[in-house]
Amino acid sequence: DGKVKVSITGFEGTALSQMERLLKEKLSPWVEFQQIFSQACQLLVVGLSGHTNTGRLRKQQLARRWNIPVFLVEDFYAKVLELSAM
């Protein structure tokens, strides 16, 4: 269907809710939110909240192994704003 499959890591609380809402609602014409990170994902967005770095680091290692681009959340927001201005 042409949508980019996106997964997230490193978010909790309000930041997690806001990111999920952004991906599921506002960006839904272009993005398919993947609850589970797998090789099927095409992009991993990394936040810096969360009580443990272990899961976030593991997902980043897997993304590199699977050649999945990784964006820090700030870079992801900047890219979304850039594309929305086109």
Side-chain angles (χ1 to χ4, degrees):
D1 60 22
K3 293 183 180 185
V4 178
K5 295 177 180 160
V6 178
S7 189
I8 61 175
T9 190
F11 295 89
E12 67 179 18
T14 304
L16 175 61
S17 299
Q18 290 174 341
M19 179 55 81
E20 285 184 346
R21 189 172 68 244
L22 175 69
L23 294 171
K24 290 178 181 176
E25 297 172 15
K26 307 238 184 246
L27 298 178
S28 63
W30 308 279
V31 167
E32 180 182 324
F33 176 62
Q34 301 285 297
Q35 195 81 25
I36 306 293
F37 179 63
S38 70
Q39 277 184 281
C41 291
Q42 297 169 295
L43 179 67
L44 177 65
V45 179
V46 178
L48 300 177
S49 64
H51 47 77
T52 178
N53 290 330
T54 308
R56 180 172 64 226
L57 293 174
R58 177 77 177 129
K59 288 180 183 177
Q60 286 178 278
Q61 290 170 341
L62 287 171
R64 277 193 292 278
R65 184 181 305 154
W66 296 335
N67 294 314
I68 297 171
V70 176
F71 276 74
L72 291 177
V73 66
E74 294 83 5
D75 298 331
F76 178 75
Y77 285 141
K79 192 66 171 174
V80 167
L81 289 172
E82 175 188 318
L83 293 173
S84 69
M86 296 177 108

